[in-house]
Amino acid sequence: MAEKSFKYVIVGGGVSAGYAAREFAKQGVKPGELAIISKEAVAPYERPALSKAYLFPDSPARLPGFHVCVGSGGERLLPEWYKEKGIELILSTEIVKADLAGKTLVSAAGETFKYQILVIATGSTVIKLTDFKVQGADAKNIFYLREIDDADTLVEAIKAKKNGTAVIVGGGYIGLELGAALRINNLDVTMVYPEPWCMPRLFTSEIAAFYEGYYANKGVKIIKGTVATGFSSNANGEVTEVKLKDGRVLEADIVVVGVGGRPLTTLFKGQVEEEKGGIKTDAFFKSSVPDVYAVGDVATFPLKLYNENRRVEHVDHSRKSAEQAVKAIKASEEGKSVEEYDYLPYFYSRSFDLAWQFYGDNVGETVLFGDNNPETPKAKFGTYWIKDGKVIGAFLEGGNPEENSAIAKVAKLQPPVESLDQLKKEGLTFASKI
């Protein structure tokens, strides 16, 4: 098969790839220099839409509506945009072999791609229950959500099982967002997770109590402290029941599993330095191999604010790290330099009528402020995390743009705190004063 050659290749076609392409275009990439190789069949899109608006029964999000870069208020990059810029979009193409020393990639179909500079933007893959040999986990209508094809099959199932029963396995982002989306579709929803409360990696028990109460008021049933150990299916191979470790059995027409993801680094194993499950990079997203950069979910990078290396799985970092890497690539070609990446961790979620934002680090003591009663219409509350006498993290539910900016500023500047009681009294006012 013919070999194709490019100056720059981005492997992976997710959020990072789209934002990197836009930055390459800004930096004046020449037609024919850049290719994006993606196993998905569509141009890069804003992945968060899949667990939110894509599943809405009324006016759902559909492509081309959420191609990058609309998620950050930028111009939408339709497939034509890449053509106009002379960027080659090589879709439905899975890379199965990467030779970093030889600067060569090989696809499942046997095509060879040569590059001078590689940007690894392979993202994460979902952890599946079949990976753990869970009995019956290969039944039909057990869904995972990572790509648009997953979302399409889930939409079809929701229509086919109208007013049916859904079980969500997992209490993190995907679990909470999909639990809400399925409930809005009028399914009978039960959430199951092993932890003592939802979103334990970020939420305190007090924050979680609000969301669990709110979901319960919406008719979502929650079962905590146990896991799914098996599934039964009917003659058509469709799931009918979820068996729990505590002996309970739940009926299910649809099961959605959200138990986390893992970075897709297998192609590069043994060829590049790794740390904390990702590809180790510097503050410009350069890996240990010359001319190889890694961005988004797969990069373990120096988080300047906390003086340690971290891997961050979030769309905000996927966008910003991609832009940083491209700026660094172009600067080094011109013998210039760019600022080091100085990232403030940021997470957010939307479900039902709720919307929260979190900035910074969630370690240390916590102070809850505001009204976290799930019965309150338009509840507004938050939490500060305090370490070594300074506020280093802030969470806010129901904030307006100014208030969200204020908590971001607090997490970045890390102001000192005299007394936790005082902080509790002041609540949002503390952030607004900074």
Side-chain angles (χ1 to χ4, degrees), residues 64-139:
F66 58 96
H67 279 298
V68 298
C69 299
V70 292
S72 58
E75 176 201 352
R76 192 169 55 188
L77 309 187
L78 299 171
E80 300 79 78
W81 178 88
Y82 298 87
K83 274 201 188 73
E84 284 162 21
K85 302 288 179 197
I87 296 168
E88 192 152 344
L89 264 186
I90 303 167
L91 302 175
S92 305
T93 302
E94 185 175 6
I95 297 300
V96 292
K97 186 167 181 270
D99 172 4
L100 298 184
K103 296 194 168 188
T104 307
L105 306 170
V106 181
S107 76
E111 302 148 294
T112 305
F113 303 96
K114 289 275 197 193
Y115 61 83
Q116 290 172 40
I117 291 176
L118 180 68
V119 179
I120 299 169
T122 42
S124 297
T125 182
V126 291
I127 294 169
K128 297 194 168 180
L129 296 181
T130 44
D131 301 347
F132 305 109
K133 310 267 188 290
V134 173
Q135 175 230 335
D138 51 359

Side-chain angles (χ1 to χ4, degrees), residues 59-255:
S59 56
R62 289 291 177 269
L63 288 177
F66 58 96
H67 279 298
V68 298
C69 299
V70 292
S72 58
E75 176 201 352
R76 192 169 55 188
L77 309 187
L78 299 171
E80 300 79 78
W81 178 88
Y82 298 87
K83 274 201 188 73
E84 284 162 21
K85 302 288 179 197
I87 296 168
E88 192 152 344
L89 264 186
I90 303 167
L91 302 175
S92 305
T93 302
E94 185 175 6
I95 297 300
V96 292
K97 186 167 181 270
D99 172 4
L100 298 184
K103 296 194 168 188
T104 307
L105 306 170
V106 181
S107 76
E111 302 148 294
T112 305
F113 303 96
K114 289 275 197 193
Y115 61 83
Q116 290 172 40
I117 291 176
L118 180 68
V119 179
I120 299 169
T122 42
S124 297
T125 182
V126 291
I127 294 169
K128 297 194 168 180
L129 296 181
T130 44
D131 301 347
F132 305 109
K133 310 267 188 290
V134 173
Q135 175 230 335
D138 51 359
K140 288 178 196 161
N141 287 349
I142 296 181
F143 298 99
Y144 299 85
L145 190 65
R146 179 68 196 169
E147 295 174 0
I148 203 152
D149 290 353
D150 303 331
D152 284 335
T153 51
L154 182 52
V155 167
E156 288 312 307
I158 289 168
K159 285 178 190 159
K161 302 292 181 187
K162 200 169 160 58
N163 304 335
T165 307
V167 173
I168 311 275
V169 177
Y173 275 101
I174 291 288
L176 286 166
E177 290 184 358
L178 290 184
L182 294 181
R183 189 70 198 108
I184 291 165
N185 277 283
N186 208 30
L187 280 103
D188 184 339
V189 178
T190 302
M191 292 180 66
V192 177
Y193 42 91
E195 299 90 0
W197 62 78
C198 63
M199 283 283 285
R201 281 198 307 185
L202 175 60
F203 289 179
T204 62
S205 60
E206 294 168 312
I207 294 173
F210 168 81
Y211 293 97
E212 290 174 350
Y214 190 97
Y215 273 54
N217 291 343
K218 292 283 187 187
V220 176
K221 294 183 273 301
I222 295 174
I223 298 174
K224 300 185 272 193
T226 190
V227 292
T229 52
F231 301 89
S232 309
S233 45
N234 62 19
N236 301 331
E238 292 181 346
V239 71
T240 54
E241 288 176 338
V242 182
K243 298 170 188 169
L244 303 184
K245 193 176 183 179
D246 67 8
R248 278 186 268 191
V249 177
L250 308 174
E251 279 178 38
D253 299 308
I254 291 174
V255 173

Side-chain angles (χ1 to χ4, degrees), residues 5 53 77 112 172 174 239-240 242 252 267-268 292 294-295 345 358 381 391 424:
S5 217
L77 309 187
T112 305
I174 291 288
V239 71
T240 54
V242 182
L267 281 171
F268 315 102
V292 174
V295 296
F358 167 84
F381 71 95
V391 175
K424 188 177 178 66

